[in-house]
Amino acid sequence: MSIKQLHLTLIISLIAILSSQGYLVYEYFQTTKAGLVRESEAIIQEAFRYELDQRHAKYKKIIGEDTITTPPPPPPSSQIESKYNLNKFTKYSDNILGMYDMVINMHVSTVVPLNLQHLDSITANILLKRKIQSEYAIRIVDIETGKSKQTELSSLFLISSKSLIIDAYKHQAIQLVLVNPFAEVVKRMILMLITSISFAMICVFVFIYLQGILARQKQLIIFKNEFLGNIAHELKRPVASLTLNLDCIDSFMNNENNQQYALYIKNAINSTDEMNDTINMIVALTKMEEGLLTLKNESIDLQSLFLDLKNRFLQSTAKEVQINIYTETDNTHLMGDCRLLWQCFANII
């Protein structure tokens, strides 16, 4: 893997890690928000039932149900009667207040109407008991339209409870709204936030550290490639000069018909060619580091390549050596880079 590919992989990994952390924080925020919504529903339900019980007790006192009745009983016309068709309430069967409490409220409200200020103070005590520190408002909303006759709350962040239906005939419901409960949300998410921020900072620090290491390695590779390139360049000039002079001597010796000198000159020329191939190999290695090396795909006869190597080594050595070539098949052709394979097998021999 090249430096550029590794650099790209690190960037993609960092983006993936930070994105996953952001997604987890967002999901936890949604879970915390849903928990606050459910808790606000429980709070408004508890506050309203407590307020309803107090109004119910006051209602009984007004109509005399809390006293012992002595004969003669009051005439029927003095009794307060209310009749309700419960079949009309079936569509409100999922109301969290319950049909029984809703009917009681509708009946009691004819004498003792709902007191929002009193309900507000009860709600404040419940919020304090549950250690929820947030501004809040209690709204009366229309069941059909979902709108409130009160002034609409303008805030960046609101958490509203489910509407609590208190009067099906008047289409009235009450709703608890927490205004800007950022402190409460952060308090419930503090452990998650600390963990996520710490993990994100560690990832960023590691990324910056690796970036520094990669930058230094890249500088070292550039320096090494420049060094090898300079060596190759300096070697090519004397090798080219040596090759030219040997070619001239070879031409002169051929004219003299001196076979022994011609053989030595030929071996010297082959050696300079091999040295030139080695220099080209150095250049190829520098290209390999940058991912710029391209291999030639050409037909190669290994049998001929081995015979050429055998002849060169036997001619160039002063000692008696024996090189044998064994092949298991007559088909010794393959596709590859002849120059690199030649260099490889020459190094082995």
Side-chain angles (χ1 to χ4, degrees), residues 300-347:
I300 304 170
D301 184 6
L302 287 180
Q303 185 76 14
S304 300
L305 187 145
F306 291 152
L307 286 174
D308 183 41
L309 286 169
K310 177 181 177 181
N311 294 330
R312 290 200 182 190
F313 277 100
L314 289 178
Q315 292 172 3
S316 61
T317 181
K319 297 180 180 181
E320 292 185 4
V321 295
Q322 184 176 0
I323 300 176
N324 298 319
I325 301 173
Y326 301 98
T327 57
E328 296 181 357
T329 176
D330 294 334
N331 185 14
T332 58
H333 287 80
L334 53 80
M335 302 299 292
D337 193 310
C338 182
R339 180 175 57 84
L340 294 179
L341 283 175
W342 194 95
Q343 184 72 35
C344 175
F345 290 117
N347 289 337

Side-chain angles (χ1 to χ4, degrees), residues 11-79:
I11 293 176
I12 293 174
S13 301
L14 180 64
I15 293 174
I17 291 172
L18 294 180
S19 299
S20 62
Q21 284 296 111
Y23 177 76
L24 289 175
V25 171
Y26 174 76
E27 285 295 315
Y28 196 78
F29 168 77
Q30 293 296 333
T31 303
T32 305
K33 181 180 177 181
L36 272 176
V37 170
R38 290 191 297 270
E39 193 165 358
S40 63
E41 292 172 358
I43 290 171
I44 190 64
Q45 183 180 7
E46 180 182 350
F48 179 77
R49 281 179 172 165
Y50 184 78
E51 193 273 345
L52 178 61
D53 289 341
Q54 292 182 338
R55 285 192 293 127
H56 197 190
K58 188 175 181 180
Y59 168 82
K60 289 181 178 180
K61 186 175 181 179
I62 291 174
I63 66 172
E65 286 188 3
D66 62 337
T67 58
I68 300 175
T69 304
T70 57
S77 58
S78 65
Q79 298 292 327

Side-chain angles (χ1 to χ4, degrees), residues 90-109:
T90 53
K91 63 179 180 178
Y92 304 123
S93 58
D94 61 340
N95 183 23
I96 59 174
L97 181 60
M99 293 178 61
Y100 177 74
D101 290 331
M102 180 171 61
V103 171
I104 291 178
N105 173 69
M106 293 168 61
H107 181 70
V108 169
S109 295

